[in-house]
Structure formats: structure tokens, C-alpha cells
Amino acid sequence: KLVALGTIAAGIAHEIGNPLASLSAVVQLLKRKVRSGEIADHLDTLNEQIQRIARIVRQMLSFSRPSSQERTVTDVNELIEKTVDMVGYSRKAQELDIRVAGSEELPRLRIMPQLFQQVLVNLLLNAADAVSDQDEDGIIEVTPELQDGWVCIGVEDNGEGMTREEQEHAVDPFYTTKPAGEGTGLGLAVSYRLVQREGGDLSIDSRPGE
């Protein structure tokens, strides 16, 4: 399904990109003729929304491409911001407050950026599921920091928490607490193995109510 999604996403991006470029060109032409007033303000708003659509399409295309097996020196802070923005477009996350906490500048790391994004997307979507059915407002907080020479990325939500048994099985393939048909039980399992393969670690700290 992921391979098919990547192929379809590339086609969608191409189909959206061409008319979007035409719209942008027309708006720029009109802006040169109308330099002030209410219509000019509307054109500015229209141009901002066109650029927003273009940015979403680029992010979707970038994420759906097959991941490169080459490690590149990457700005982790920037990658986190891009990933949080992208997840914010998903239907389940649109009503949530997803925030990046702290302002600590992390060192640039030699990593596979798409694999890093895949792990963070999985964690964020899991967090979104955890808070989606509760009465209070859902909050997800991403905390990047340095701890004893390690770059650590925390993803915390104010959902219902997990029992000890759920934690013990959370990274087992196909284990899920979601209703039938709503989860594959692969998100955390894949993330755990990707992080371990790259020499890192993924751990869960939760209890019922936290």
C-alpha cells in the first residue's frame, strides 16, 4: 500500500502542480496591474493560499518517495518542524494542539532524513489517536533535547495512557488496542526497529491516566 501511495502521490503532485503554477502566474500578473486597495489585498491572500497548497504538495511528495539509503548531515530542528507541519494537515490531527517545546538547538546529525520522518510521523499519529476520543482538548508536545551526548526526541500526549501489559506489547508487530479495522499494529513496531537499526533506542513511559 505504501508503494502504491507513493506512486499515486507523485501523480497527484504533478496534476496539482501544473494548474497551481498557472494560478500563481495569473495572480502575479494581476498584482502588477492592481497595486493597492481591497482587490490587491485579496490577491495577496490568494497568493498565500496558493503557496500553502504548493508547500503541502511538496511535503507529501517528499515523504512518499522511496527512502534514500544514504545518510546526510541534517538539521534535526528543521526536520522536526517540517514533520509536525505535515502531520498537522492530517484529518485526525487538525483539531489538536501540536507544539514543539523548548528552543534548544540540536547538533546536525548524519542520518537518513526520511527514516527519521517516518518514525516521528508514526509517533505523532499514535499520539493523535490517543487523544482523539477524550473530552478535553488534545495536546501533543514534541521535545527535542540533548541528554548525556545523545539527541533525544520526546513525544508526549495528554491521552488516557497505557497499562503495563500494553507497554510490554506496544512494539510487537500487529499488536494494537484500536478497534478492528482502525489500526495495523505496525507503526510502533516499525519505528522501534528503524531506530534500533540506526544505533538509537525507542522507549515508552506511560501509565493509566498519563
Side-chain angles (χ1 to χ4, degrees):
K1 285 183 178 179
L2 286 173
V3 173
L5 177 63
T7 303
I8 293 169
I12 291 174
H14 178 74
E15 289 299 318
I16 293 176
N18 287 338
L20 210 57
S22 298
L23 285 170
S24 181
V26 171
V27 169
Q28 296 302 324
L29 178 63
L30 291 172
K31 284 181 66 177
R32 284 198 288 269
K33 295 184 176 181
V34 183
R35 298 184 180 275
S36 61
E38 186 178 354
I39 293 178
D41 292 340
H42 289 326
L43 289 173
D44 286 336
T45 301
L46 184 58
N47 187 55
E48 288 173 6
Q49 297 306 313
I50 289 173
Q51 298 308 316
R52 179 168 181 256
I53 295 171
R55 186 169 64 253
I56 293 171
V57 170
R58 285 195 302 270
Q59 289 176 336
M60 180 180 70
L61 186 58
S62 173
F63 183 69
S64 63
R65 284 183 181 134
S67 60
S68 167
Q69 296 303 307
E70 293 185 5
R71 292 174 177 80
T72 58
V73 177
T74 304
D75 185 328
V76 179
N77 291 88
E78 183 179 336
L79 196 56
I80 290 171
E81 291 284 356
K82 286 181 177 179
T83 308
V84 168
D85 283 347
M86 182 173 65
V87 170
Y89 301 138
S90 68
R91 187 176 62 183
K92 67 172 66 176
Q94 283 180 351
E95 302 300 321
L96 306 179
D97 179 7
I98 306 179
R99 55 182 79 153
V100 179
S103 57
E104 184 169 2
E105 285 297 316
L106 301 179
R108 295 166 70 87
L109 298 180
R110 185 175 293 278
I111 59 174
M112 298 180 192
Q114 283 179 297
L115 293 187
F116 179 95
Q117 272 197 303
Q118 182 179 343
V119 170
L120 189 52
V121 165
N122 285 342
L123 295 178
L124 289 169
L125 291 180
N126 267 276
D129 284 332
V131 300
S132 60
D133 294 329
Q134 62 184 19
D135 294 331
E136 62 181 309
D137 293 338
I139 300 173
I140 301 172
E141 196 164 83
V142 182
T143 307
E145 57 186 352
L146 279 173
Q147 293 181 8
D148 300 324
W150 288 85
V151 170
C152 301
I153 315 296
V155 177
E156 183 177 357
D157 63 70
N158 65 336
E160 62 185 18
M162 304 170 72
T163 64
R164 181 180 295 276
E165 181 183 3
E166 287 170 342
Q167 283 190 73
E168 290 174 352
H169 294 287
V171 297
D172 292 346
F174 305 110
Y175 176 81
T176 180
T177 59
K178 298 172 188 173
E182 291 187 19
T184 62
L186 286 173
L188 282 178
V190 168
S191 298
Y192 180 71
R193 281 150 186 78
L194 285 176
V195 172
Q196 282 209 319
R197 193 187 77 184
E198 293 302 299
D201 189 30
L202 188 154
S203 61
I204 301 170
D205 180 19
S206 183
R207 54 198 55 80
E210 295 184 27

